[in-house]
Amino acid sequence: MSKKANYLIKTLSRTKRKDYENYVINAIWNRLANDNIKPVTQQYVFNKEKNEGYLIDLFFPQLLVGIEIDERHHIFQKAKDYERSDAIWHIFHKLESDKNSDYEEIRIDVAGKTYDEIEEQINTSVEKLKELIKQLKPSPWIIDSEKYLEGKKELTIYDDVSFDTIAEACNILFKTNYKGFQKGYVEPSKLKEHSFYSQKGIWFPQLAIEIDGKLIAAAGKWNNRITIDGNIIEFNEDEAKIVNKEYNEEYTEHAERVVFAKSKDPIGTKSQYRFIGVYKRTKYIPIKHEGKYRSARFYEMASDRIPILDE
């Protein structure tokens, strides 16, 4: 089965919705009949002013159009909820409604409506989507990573691409020939002479997982977290020194890392690596773990893009 077919089957068959919602979403997709347009179900929309967000039932990122059926489902009401290990998708893929003035939401009311009334709303929505496709002429949806990046000179955090393995990411982006790679920190030899990469490492961190309300290391004892603002916190659960809660120490070397974070894909079927930026270690901060404050490394984003190597 192709990656695109698998994505469509999974994303259009989630069971959390009501029957009417499932019917409307699948009817819209089938009547649109265009597999060059990507559908995203349960897209997260964030309102920064209110510090709250909600999920829309169906979103077309190439068109900046959302389909909302009945009512908004509010999630992540508190900023701390972003610290959950599965929230990385929302942090780097959220749609900020106040920043996207072109975003349009189409509402379909199914409550108390007859079959014919629902059908009319579906058909009207589909016609509007088709007209937008004609007007915008969006680039086709490409799900294969290598094909998506073909001919591109750089990769940005906004690109809709992810990698199944560390080896795949390195082979496509840095033209290595890895058969497999297990380490989370990589320094390909061919990058040592490259003007951009020579002083940077390539980091593939696994994020901390939540068990019984606690975030614990997913790999070894390295506890890696992403903050609401997209910063990175890293500490070793066994080796990080004990500090007080006011601890703050500048890191003068400012080491940079090209970071690909491992997280679940948008349909929750598997974990993939996605480029989230070039990060600079700027300071040490206190992080509470097992009742004590420990010294943690704090990274801030230095760049949202990296060059892709030629052959």
Side-chain angles (χ1 to χ4, degrees):
M1 182 185 297
S2 70
K3 287 185 178 180
K4 183 174 284 190
N6 182 63
Y7 174 89
L8 290 170
I9 290 169
K10 295 293 185 181
T11 202
L12 296 173
S13 62
R14 296 190 187 186
T15 58
K16 292 181 180 179
R17 303 184 197 90
K18 299 174 183 177
D19 290 342
Y20 269 123
E21 292 170 334
N22 275 318
Y23 173 75
V24 171
I25 287 169
N26 281 275
I28 289 174
W29 172 251
N30 288 317
R31 294 175 201 183
L32 188 60
N34 189 334
D35 63 2
N36 278 319
I37 301 298
K38 181 180 181 177
V40 178
T41 53
Q42 298 185 28
Q43 168 69 36
Y44 181 56
V45 181
F46 182 66
N47 185 310
K48 200 167 186 178
E49 291 183 358
K50 296 181 179 179
N51 193 33
E52 67 177 19
Y54 60 91
L55 292 174
I56 50 178
D57 296 292
L58 181 61
F59 177 60
F60 296 100
Q62 294 147 289
L63 309 176
L64 269 183
V65 172
I67 308 294
E68 179 58 32
I69 303 162
D70 274 341
E71 62 182 2
R72 295 176 173 182
H73 306 285
H74 289 273
I75 61 167
F76 299 146
Q77 296 292 338
K78 298 178 182 178
K80 68 178 182 180
D81 290 334
Y82 277 103
E83 296 177 2
R84 298 179 64 90
S85 61
D86 60 353
I88 184 174
W89 183 262
H90 295 301
I91 291 172
F92 292 98
H93 298 75
K94 66 178 177 287
L95 174 66
E96 296 190 22
S97 56
D98 56 334
K99 288 185 179 180
N100 290 276
S101 58
D102 294 330
Y103 170 67
E104 182 177 358
E105 194 165 280
I106 297 173
R107 301 189 67 80
I108 295 180
D109 183 12
V110 300
K113 302 298 182 182
T114 65
Y115 170 78
D116 289 337
E117 288 172 330
I118 295 172
E119 284 292 295
E120 183 179 359
Q121 292 182 78
I122 292 172
N123 290 330
T124 299
S125 301
V126 170
E127 288 306 311
K128 188 166 190 175
L129 293 169
K130 287 182 176 180
E131 185 59 34
L132 275 173
I133 293 170
K134 288 181 181 179
Q135 292 175 12
L136 300 175
K137 297 180 174 59
S139 299
W141 170 33
I142 300 174
I143 198 168
D144 180 80
S145 302
E146 190 165 12
K147 187 175 180 182
Y148 178 92
L149 294 169
E150 194 173 274
K152 291 185 180 292
K153 300 296 184 182
E154 64 179 13
L155 172 67
T156 77
I157 63 173
Y158 313 104
D159 286 313
D160 187 16
V161 62
S162 54
F163 307 93
D164 290 336
T165 65
I166 294 173
E168 180 187 48
C170 290
N171 291 344
I172 293 174
L173 299 171
F174 312 128
K175 304 304 182 286
T176 56
N177 191 30
Y178 294 148
K179 302 301 180 185
F181 210 101
Q182 299 300 320
K183 294 181 180 179
Y185 190 80
V186 188
E187 293 182 307
S189 57
K190 68 186 309 177
L191 296 185
K192 291 181 180 179
E193 303 301 322
H194 193 280
S195 58
F196 181 86
Y197 291 107
S198 60
Q199 301 299 315
K200 298 177 178 67
I202 316 298
W203 189 24
F204 294 84
Q206 293 188 45
L207 300 182
I209 58 175
E210 184 173 359
I211 298 179
D212 297 330
K214 297 179 181 179
L215 286 170
I216 64 172
K221 287 293 182 177
W222 287 103
N223 195 309
N224 307 305
R225 307 177 182 187
I226 302 290
T227 72
I228 182 175
D229 297 316
N231 297 314
I232 299 175
I233 297 172
E234 172 201 34
F235 70 98
N236 187 288
E237 293 178 347
D238 287 344
E239 299 175 6
K241 67 180 181 181
I242 306 299
V243 296
N244 60 50
K245 63 180 180 179
E246 286 80 28
Y247 171 75
N248 191 304
E249 181 181 342
E250 183 181 356
Y251 189 85
T252 55
E253 293 181 23
H254 299 303
E256 291 189 357
R257 295 181 175 187
V258 177
V259 184
F260 296 80
K262 188 175 185 179
S263 66
K264 288 182 180 179
D265 63 14
I267 53 178
T269 56
K270 62 180 178 180
S271 293
Q272 295 177 309
Y273 292 97
R274 182 180 177 91
F275 173 62
I276 63 170
V278 179
Y279 280 79
K280 180 187 295 185
R281 188 191 305 171
T282 58
K283 58 185 176 181
Y284 292 96
I285 65 169
I287 193 77
K288 196 170 185 179
H289 179 71
E290 298 293 344
K292 297 180 180 178
Y293 286 96
R294 296 182 179 272
S295 172
R297 298 167 180 171
F298 186 84
Y299 296 81
E300 298 177 40
M301 189 183 294
S303 176
D304 61 0
R305 59 199 64 227
I306 56 173
I308 299 173
L309 268 63
D310 295 327
E311 291 291 350

